[in-house]
Amino acid sequence: MSSYAAHIATVQARFDAALTATGFDSAFIYAGQPRVAFLDDNPAPFKVNPLFKYWIPVTDSPKSAIFYERGARPVVFLFQPRDFWHAAVKIAPAEWQEHVELVVVDSLEKVTRYLGDKLKATAFLGEHFAEPVASWPVRAHNPDALIDHLHFHRAIKTDWEVENLRVANDRAAKAHLAAKDAFFAGKSELEIHHAYLAAINFRESELPYNSIVGLNEHGAILHYDVYETSAPRESRSFLIDAGATYRGYCADITRTYSREQSGFFAELVEAVDNAQQALLGEIEPGVDYYQLHVSQHLKIAQILSDFEFVRGSAESIYEQGFSSAFFPHGLGHFIGLQVHDVGGFLRNDRGDQFDRDPRHPFLRLLRPVEEGQVFTIEPGLYVVDQLLEAHANAKELNWQRIDELRPYGGVRIEDSIVVGKAGNNENLTRDAFARLEN
């Protein structure tokens, strides 16, 4: 059995269990369609429903759909309208077509005629903001119980999904190296961004998210995506958080570089990288992801002490909340069909959720670590004045030393990890870079 055949069998089994548990006989998974801008007829780039591409690796066919009845062969309605305004979507022959009933339609009315009364008993999964789907007499739109059940189990990736994630990371790593070269060549943020896209022959809309390409102090802006068109007089540091896609699966990689190969900031980048790699050795089934987050905080707190940003022990720096001012975001998140993949707060497939910790409000993942999960590990250390204001009078903070870091912005290192047995994990990101270097 091929890895895709095993994957779609797993997806069917998960849908069977979810439909049975929630009292539905069938699901209609709508790919979605583009939305137009306000007071305009210009649509935003199309992003397919992740539950649609969970079944088949088709990401650019708006208004297509999948109808699935428990235990039956899925029906894929491939929408190909008669349209002289736009190029027709080209769907090449592929293995997925052997596992579905493929029906090509040029209008959604043909879908309703095909399904008849079955539509009234189905759960509609997807956006339904536009006609005619907005008025379809389905039993329910996006029922929480059904979606929670699916999202909980989607956290465990199939072999086919991991294969796709490897390729996405290969692509992103290749582009990262091109961006690194552009940085050391003195290019502007926009020029670095263009080098990234050119390295993998991507349009910007093909990226899984807006790339973060920050020189110097811009590295301290967590979601910076302005892209200055002129290079700064001096490029001291470079933080890039950028990904790629393959068959709808996402890579998410962050690296930080120092212009000078020795000295204060280069040593800080190395320290954060070492702390991240040390944390990777703690990942194994049964460990709570929250505990990994706390462990990483303590390692960042030790760096704050070692570099004399904050006076005190790692434990005291963490307990007083100083580490959160320098490392404000979560340690990471699930990744797969979505960059921030779903299910990180679910206790079970019935929709019960873990309580969020007000101490770490931006942590996106609270579940115990399980074999087959794929998540990111991305510690950071930045100078964010807005967060440091709360500690303006703290005698423990060494403002002179902090001021030395401010022109560099900060450091973030991010890898994606496939959890294996007993800590035998796969680092998708570092393996991708290693393949390029060999």
Side-chain angles (χ1 to χ4, degrees):
M1 178 183 288
S2 71
S3 59
Y4 176 74
H7 167 78
I8 197 169
T10 297
V11 173
Q12 287 185 255
R14 289 175 179 176
F15 265 79
D16 285 344
L19 291 167
T20 299
T22 55
F24 290 96
D25 294 327
S26 61
F28 185 91
I29 304 103
Y30 189 49
Q33 61 192 83
R35 287 180 179 266
V36 297
F38 179 60
L39 297 179
D40 203 343
D41 61 357
N42 186 33
F46 173 67
K47 296 291 186 181
V48 69
N49 176 357
L51 288 172
F52 180 89
K53 59 179 177 173
Y54 191 33
W55 285 86
I56 60 175
V58 176
T59 60
D60 57 356
S61 186
K63 297 187 180 179
S64 292
I66 299 168
F67 180 73
Y68 180 68
E69 291 183 282
R70 285 200 312 249
R73 190 177 180 86
V75 180
V76 173
F77 296 100
L78 193 63
F79 188 77
Q80 292 188 330
R82 292 172 56 84
D83 181 3
F84 55 83
W85 291 104
H86 303 100
V89 175
K90 296 180 180 179
I91 305 296
E95 183 187 358
W96 66 264
Q97 295 162 19
E98 302 170 9
H99 299 272
V100 304
E101 179 182 345
L102 184 60
V103 180
V104 178
V105 297
D106 59 12
S107 73
L108 290 175
E109 286 73 17
K110 291 184 178 180
V111 175
T112 57
R113 288 200 298 270
Y114 185 99
L115 295 177
D117 289 339
K118 290 181 177 181
L119 201 60
K120 297 179 182 178
T122 198
F124 186 105
L125 301 179
E127 289 190 298
H128 53 97
F129 62 88
E131 296 295 350
V133 298
S135 299
W136 282 359
V138 298
R139 180 179 164 189
H141 287 106
N142 301 313
D144 289 339
L146 179 58
I147 288 178
D148 285 343
H149 200 292
L150 294 169
H151 283 181
F152 180 79
H153 293 284
R154 201 151 67 77
I156 306 301
K157 299 297 185 280
T158 65
D159 289 344
W160 186 77
E161 291 183 289
V162 174
E163 290 170 12
N164 294 332
L165 289 167
R166 285 193 194 104
V167 177
N169 274 269
D170 285 342
R171 289 177 167 185
K174 179 181 179 181
H176 267 258
L177 293 179
K180 174 185 175 183
D181 290 344
F183 161 63
F184 282 109
K187 301 297 185 181
S188 70
E189 291 169 345
L190 184 61
E191 289 171 324
I192 294 171
H193 177 58
H194 286 163
Y196 187 96
L197 294 174
I200 49 176
N201 203 27
F202 265 38
R203 297 173 63 180
E204 193 167 51
S205 59
E206 294 178 88
L207 297 176
Y209 57 94
N210 285 342
S211 299
I212 298 166
V213 180
L215 296 174
N216 300 340
E217 64 275 6
H218 294 159
I221 303 172
L222 300 186
H223 285 172
Y224 176 80
D225 59 357
V226 173
Y227 308 150
E228 293 284 353
T229 57
S230 299
R233 182 176 302 175
E234 179 187 5
S235 291
R236 295 176 292 273
S237 59
F238 174 41
L239 187 152
I240 176 167
D241 184 337
T245 55
Y246 180 70
R247 290 176 174 168
Y249 287 82
C250 304
D252 182 3
I253 300 174
T254 307
R255 290 294 184 267
T256 307
Y257 302 101
S258 171
R259 166 73 62 181
E260 301 298 329
Q261 298 305 295
S262 61
F264 161 67
F265 189 68
E267 291 171 3
L268 183 63
V269 172
E270 182 180 12
V272 174
D273 186 71
N274 289 339
Q276 191 250 22
Q277 292 189 69
L279 192 281
L280 297 180
E282 300 174 16
I283 298 170
E284 61 181 17
V287 175
D288 281 345
Y289 193 89
Y290 179 86
Q291 293 305 317
L292 294 175
H293 178 75
V294 172
S295 178
Q296 190 74 87
H297 257 272
L298 289 169
K299 291 175 174 58
I300 294 297
Q302 186 62 57
I303 294 172
L304 292 172
S305 177
D306 291 344
F307 279 76
E308 300 179 348
F309 296 121
V310 185
R311 303 177 184 91
S313 67
E315 290 75 13
S316 68
I317 290 171
Y318 172 71
E319 291 301 331
Q320 294 181 82
F322 296 138
S323 62
S324 293
F326 292 88
F327 174 25
H329 55 76
L331 175 63
H333 49 79
F334 282 144
I335 188 168
L337 289 164
Q338 296 164 271
V339 178
H340 297 149
D341 221 346
V342 292
F345 300 122
L346 290 172
R347 286 182 177 272
N348 50 49
D349 59 18
R350 298 182 301 279
D352 298 322
Q353 299 208 4
F354 289 95
D355 294 330
R356 315 292 175 87
D357 184 353
R359 175 77 185 272
H360 300 291
F362 304 114
L363 183 57
R364 299 175 184 269
L365 177 52
L366 294 173
R367 284 169 62 168
V369 173
E370 296 181 67
E371 183 182 353
Q373 290 178 345
V374 184
F375 47 67
T376 65
I377 298 293
E378 50 180 306
L381 195 164
Y382 323 86
V383 176
V384 182
D385 288 323
Q386 181 179 344
L387 299 176
L388 292 172
E389 288 172 358
H391 307 289
N393 297 319
K395 64 181 183 303
E396 292 86 354
L397 269 63
N398 183 347
W399 292 102
Q400 181 176 350
R401 190 65 163 159
I402 292 169
D403 286 343
E404 290 181 48
L405 177 58
R406 184 173 280 104
Y408 297 91
V411 181
R412 182 163 68 253
I413 308 293
E414 179 181 20
D415 296 341
S416 291
I417 307 301
V418 183
V419 180
K421 292 182 180 179
N424 184 24
N425 309 316
E426 177 182 356
N427 190 318
L428 294 169
T429 307
R430 292 186 187 260
D431 288 355
F433 281 114
R435 283 190 289 272
L436 290 170
E437 293 167 358
N438 292 335

